[in-house]
Amino acid sequence: MNYIGIDLGGTNIKGALVSAKGEILKEHSIPTRVDLGPEAVAGRIGQVIAQLSIGEDTVGGVGVGCPGTVDDASGIVRFAANLNFVNFDLRSALRAHTALPIHLGNDANAAALAEARVGAARGAKDAVMITLGTGLGSGFVSNGEMIYGHDGFAGEFGHIIVERNGRECGCGRRGCL
């Protein structure tokens, strides 16, 4: 079985068709175009999924790594500053573009878990992942499991205030790293 992984960023949507062993079989990327709004961004994710699905009949599902606070149980992105998503039902929006099962997670957490399972941290008991793109993210794996914290916001280095009254962050606070 193969799967599609989507890395949703503030600048680009990157996708890959991967084997169950984590081997990248096909890749596709397009600009995110946050300026078009959440529904249009979901449509652009749908375009990447469609491109990666061409000629494939063994795709078992789609995993979407999204910055911000993401609730896989409901399919809602609670808040993603660099995408202008606030309580956006991303899973429902993606249903218009694919019938495949869709799972959502914070992008840095997804990257940390992938590295721990099939990447550079494979075999390590614990791992920390720092992502740097349009924003700064981080994810922690302990004993092979993600650390989410009580509010799903554990380890969000990007929103540590490093300069009191510094520049405004997309999250609405000032001075975030």
Side-chain angles (χ1 to χ4, degrees), residues 54-66:
I54 293 173
E56 300 295 328
D57 55 358
T58 59
V59 178
V62 178
V64 180
C66 178

Side-chain angles (χ1 to χ4, degrees), residues 16-162:
L17 179 70
V18 297
S19 71
K21 294 181 180 180
E23 301 162 306
I24 297 173
L25 307 173
K26 196 187 305 185
E27 295 177 85
H28 187 67
S29 175
I30 61 174
T32 305
R33 297 290 313 270
V34 173
D35 59 305
L36 299 175
E39 291 289 341
V41 170
R44 295 179 70 71
I45 295 168
Q47 290 174 19
V48 173
I49 293 168
Q51 186 67 34
L52 293 169
S53 299
I54 293 173
E56 300 295 328
D57 55 358
T58 59
V59 178
V62 178
V64 180
C66 178
T69 308
V70 181
D71 181 0
D72 184 45
S74 68
I76 294 174
V77 179
R78 299 283 174 214
F79 183 71
N82 292 331
L83 298 173
N84 297 321
F85 285 9
V86 177
N87 293 320
F88 178 58
D89 190 346
L90 181 56
R91 181 178 293 124
S92 290
L94 290 175
R95 289 272 179 250
H97 305 281
T98 183
L100 293 169
I102 299 166
H103 292 281
L104 307 173
N106 172 273
D107 58 348
N109 288 347
L113 197 55
E115 289 297 338
R117 294 206 174 149
V118 297
R122 185 181 200 166
K125 182 177 170 185
D126 305 315
V128 175
M129 176 76 175
I130 306 291
T131 61
L132 182 59
T134 305
L136 173 68
S138 53
F140 299 92
V141 177
S142 179
N143 291 320
E145 300 294 325
M146 281 304 310
I147 302 297
Y148 295 103
H150 75 281
D151 59 0
F153 212 58
E156 282 294 329
F157 284 159
H159 295 289
I160 294 172
I161 296 175
V162 296

